[in-house]
Structure formats: C-alpha cells, structure tokens
Amino acid sequence: SRAPPDAETAVAELRAEMARRGSPIDLPTDDVLRFAKARKLNAVKAADMLQADLEWRQARRVEERRDEPAEDILGKPIAALQQVLPHVCSPGVDKLGRPIIFKHFGGQCSFSRLCPDRESVDRLCEYNWWVNEQYCKRLAALGAEQWVVVIDAKGWQPGLIDRTALRVLKSMADTDADHYPERLGGLVVVNAPASLALVWRIVKTWLDEKTKAKVDIISSSDPKRATERLHGLAAPDQLPE
C-alpha cells in the first residue's frame, strides 16, 4: 500500500541505507515501514534492526520452516501445549478488520510442566516465531497489518511464575519486539487477579513505551468493564462465548 509522504521518505532512506551496507532489500513497503517506525524513522537504527532480523531469519530458516507442521517445531504434540497454554487465532476480526488472537494464561499455565528441560524450553521459544508466522499469513489474507491479542487470566496465580516461565516470556517478548515490530495492535487482559500486577511490573521492563501503551489489564473484579472493553474492540459475534 502507498505510505504517507513522511513514511515514504523513511522507507526510501532505509532502503538506501541497506544498499549502502551492501545488503539491498526487496521487501514490500509496509514491511520496510514497520522497521522504520520501530526505530522512530531513524534510518541507521532501523537498518541495524532490519539487518539483524534478516540474519536471524536466515539462521533459523524461517521462510522454509514456517510451513512445517507445528509438532515438528515444538517437538511434541500441539495438544500438549494447548493443555498448558490454550491459544487460537479466531476466524473473527475486530472493528478495524484485524485478526484477534485469544490465549488463556490461567491456573493450568505451568511452563515448567510443559518444558522440563532446556531443549523443550528452546523448542517452545522456536514455536513462538512459528506461530507468529501463521498469524502473518492471516494478516495477508485479511489485508491487515496488525493483530490484537486477548488474554484470559482467570485462575492464574503467582506460583506459576518461576525461572522457566520468566525465560519463556522474556524470549517471546524479545522475539516479538525484534522480529515482528508494529504487529501488535493491542493487548487486552481480562479476569486479571490482583497478583498479576507483580508480574506486569517485571514484564513491562522488557517492553518499549509504545508497546506498553497498547496493554489494557482489567481486573477480575470488574467483569462489566471487561465486557464493555471487548465489545468496544469487536462485535459480539466476532468473540468466543
């Protein structure tokens, strides 16, 4: 799609900087613009980020492996992950035409149980980029640029946060920020227990200001606000029961 004038300039400058480095890019304008925006239209910083992303993708063979079955990436049946971290990219969309991703970080969400060793942790972190690639396919099908995430935290309790959980969550946050910039349109957490505030204080240190501003955490004691927020986000028939 055609970018506004200042964005067109940023894209042209980023393409020129990559060419100057001997790494000319043939990416769609929207993809180049995402990296430019992530570095506040600074061509040098955006080129650093984009170059690191391209090297990361090559090292992991992302373009090739994103079409592999989920089980091959995860190293175990996807049902095992769904029992611990239920997640789905809904067929519905929000009022801006963006796909909605639903996740349940509840009492069943024990990363240590799912990942008893370092290899299984690494495989789960690999799965995170794989599933993001599936979400990108959904974006392409809809002609959208961003997705929205809704997390149900019903049943979550602080004991679920251990070294394994922190490592997985930190890896996911880093991957999303470094390789899928500007993809998150918003994140709404519903049924949040008061104790979740402690974890949020940790997690938000991993996020930039723009991403933090997109997060809305709604207490389990305020179901009316949660319903209003979700219905403001999407029509009721686009949301699960």
Side-chain angles (χ1 to χ4, degrees), residues 9 39 59 72 99 135 157 169 179 187 194 199 204:
T9 299
R39 291 298 178 262
D72 290 358
Y135 299 154
Q157 45 91 9
L169 293 173
H179 307 294
L187 190 154
V199 177
K204 70 180 182 180

Side-chain angles (χ1 to χ4, degrees), residues 4-5 22 62 97-98 104 123 126 147 174:
V62 171
R98 303 174 298 188
H104 184 204
R123 295 293 286 266
E126 287 280 287
W147 53 63
D174 288 347

Side-chain angles (χ1 to χ4, degrees), residues 105 151-156 189-193 196 218-221 223 226:
F105 277 90
I151 294 177
D152 182 356
K154 184 177 182 179
W156 185 89
V189 181
V190 298
N191 296 318
L196 192 64
I218 303 174
S219 170
S220 57
S221 65

Side-chain angles (χ1 to χ4, degrees), residues 47 51 53 61 120 138 149 152 182 193 238:
Q51 194 158 13
D53 174 69
R61 299 184 291 118
S120 56
R138 175 82 168 129
V149 178
D152 182 356
E182 301 295 316
Q238 300 295 297

Side-chain angles (χ1 to χ4, degrees), residues 56 60 62 65 125-133 180:
W56 174 86
R60 283 163 179 74
V62 171
R65 297 177 62 208
C125 294
E126 287 280 287
Y127 174 81
N128 182 55
W129 67 251
W130 180 91
V131 79
N132 277 353
E133 290 295 315
Y180 300 90

Side-chain angles (χ1 to χ4, degrees), residues 10 13 18 46 82 85 131 143 156-157 203 225:
E13 290 177 348
M18 291 296 288
Q82 290 286 8
L85 178 56
V131 79
W156 185 89
Q157 45 91 9
V203 172
R225 180 173 169 242

Side-chain angles (χ1 to χ4, degrees), residues 210-230:
K210 185 184 292 186
T211 300
K212 283 188 281 190
K214 296 177 181 178
V215 178
D216 188 5
I217 300 178
I218 303 174
S219 170
S220 57
S221 65
D222 198 354
K224 180 180 179 181
R225 180 173 169 242
T227 298
E228 290 174 349
R229 178 68 177 87
L230 292 177

